[in-house]
Amino acid sequence: MGNTTVKTGAVISAYVHAYEEIEQEIAGLTEQQLRWKSSPSSWSVTEVLAHLVDHSIVVSFRIREILAGSPATLPGFNQDAWVAGQKANEEQISQLITIANGLVQYNSGLLERLSEEGWEKTGVNFKGETVSLTAIIPGFVAHVQNHLNQIRRIKQELVEKKVQ
């Protein structure tokens, strides 16, 4: 059980700190830079962060459905439609960061209370795959990292296009 405790501790720590690099990466960007899009179909930095908040909401639901032993299929979501439908580019970045960190903190308390058996509980995702919390949480962290790289690409475009 000791190795599992160390492993889950590392997973929870990575989860808790998932947004720190994004906060560092976007520090100092102007409002215009945060909302800038290279094309109408691409996402701005603000929209990327809004998507990650949406993803946090969905992951929060998935965690609770798994722990409840629900037979329901774990939900997916249409990320582009969600971002567009909520006019995410009009949200304040500070609000998104507050919400993102709040969801992570709320979920991390739950994750810290789980037994080894809780971590091994599974559900079936919208693709028909069986997934456990031991896969969902690291998957979430990897998802945040992918979008951190997207933010870095947007920042590079901002420099190239000289967006102030």
Side-chain angles (χ1 to χ4, degrees):
M1 181 132 169
N3 285 341
T4 301
T5 303
V6 170
K7 179 182 172 189
T8 55
V11 167
I12 293 169
S13 179
Y15 177 72
V16 167
H17 299 289
Y19 288 111
E20 287 177 359
E21 281 186 84
I22 288 179
E23 288 184 64
Q24 293 168 5
E25 200 66 42
I26 66 175
L29 292 179
T30 66
E31 195 73 25
Q32 181 178 350
Q33 291 170 325
L34 290 167
R35 296 181 194 287
W36 179 81
K37 298 165 65 141
S38 63
S39 73
S41 62
S42 65
W43 283 354
S44 67
V45 171
T46 300
E47 289 170 323
V48 170
L49 195 52
H51 161 68
L52 288 172
V53 169
D54 290 341
H55 189 246
S56 289
I57 291 167
V58 172
V59 167
S60 297
F61 184 82
R62 290 174 183 164
I63 290 167
R64 284 153 181 83
E65 281 292 282
I66 287 172
L67 292 174
S70 173
T73 300
L74 301 173
F77 66 109
N78 184 333
Q79 63 185 24
D80 291 317
W82 279 36
V83 166
Q86 65 184 315
K87 298 182 180 186
N89 209 28
E90 296 175 23
E91 183 62 80
Q92 292 298 311
I93 203 83
S94 60
Q95 178 77 356
L96 292 169
I97 290 170
T98 298
I99 294 166
N101 285 321
L103 287 167
V104 165
Q105 292 303 315
Y106 181 58
N107 288 333
S108 67
L110 167 60
L111 297 173
E112 288 169 357
R113 293 188 300 270
L114 291 181
S115 65
E116 185 173 342
E117 294 77 27
W119 277 96
E120 295 302 323
K121 285 189 173 189
T122 62
V124 177
N125 70 15
F126 59 97
K127 298 175 187 175
E129 303 163 337
T130 300
V131 294
S132 69
L133 292 182
T134 56
I136 287 176
I137 303 306
F140 173 86
V141 173
H143 188 83
V144 171
Q145 287 297 310
N146 287 339
H147 286 293
L148 173 63
N149 291 329
Q150 181 182 12
I151 288 170
R152 288 177 175 145
R153 289 190 301 273
I154 294 168
K155 281 182 66 178
Q156 183 59 42
E157 288 182 84
L158 289 168
V159 169
E160 291 167 5
K161 306 271 189 205
K162 298 181 173 131
V163 177
Q164 300 295 315

